[in-house]
Amino acid sequence: MMQETPVVTVVGGALTEQEISAYVTHVKEHNPHRDLKSLQIKLDGDYVDLSYEFHPVQFEHIRRITGYLVGTTDRFNNAKRAEERERVKHQI
């Protein structure tokens, strides 16, 4: 998956492209498995406040079926498929 360039806004002053790039790199290094969507850099004298948002993470639904944690049953053999089909499903 190709990562998009994050939207970066600077509030309260001006930064060079090199400084902005350093802040983007900082956020990415501290969140290596996330894809940065946007970054807001607020300047306040000697202080910098970073607010950022990530792209949503793809989530696969995991279920516990017949003692196994699975996303799908496509890799089950015939016996496991039959066991899953015949199980009693309880409702509240």
Side-chain angles (χ1 to χ4, degrees):
M1 175 172 74
M2 189 173 170
Q3 291 187 350
E4 297 176 22
T5 304
V7 175
V8 179
T9 55
V10 179
V11 178
L15 294 174
T16 66
E17 286 299 319
Q18 185 178 6
E19 291 170 318
I20 292 171
S21 179
Y23 284 118
V24 169
T25 299
H26 172 79
V27 172
K28 287 182 176 183
E29 285 176 352
H30 284 82
N31 301 278
H33 302 291
R34 303 294 304 270
D35 187 17
L36 185 62
K37 181 176 182 179
S38 65
L39 172 63
Q40 182 182 53
I41 306 169
K42 291 182 186 177
L43 305 174
D44 184 15
D46 292 337
Y47 298 96
V48 176
D49 183 32
L50 302 178
S51 300
Y52 44 88
E53 178 182 5
F54 296 107
H55 287 284
V57 175
Q58 293 293 331
F59 179 78
E60 180 181 345
H61 182 76
I62 302 295
R63 300 173 289 166
R64 183 168 185 250
I65 299 176
T66 66
Y68 295 91
L69 294 175
V70 297
T72 64
T73 59
D74 59 336
R75 295 181 60 192
F76 277 12
N77 62 25
N78 290 339
K80 275 293 171 207
R81 288 176 198 262
E83 187 178 336
E84 191 274 330
R85 215 176 22 252
E86 296 167 2
R87 73 184 179 148
V88 176
K89 298 177 183 175
H90 302 281
Q91 295 184 10
I92 296 177

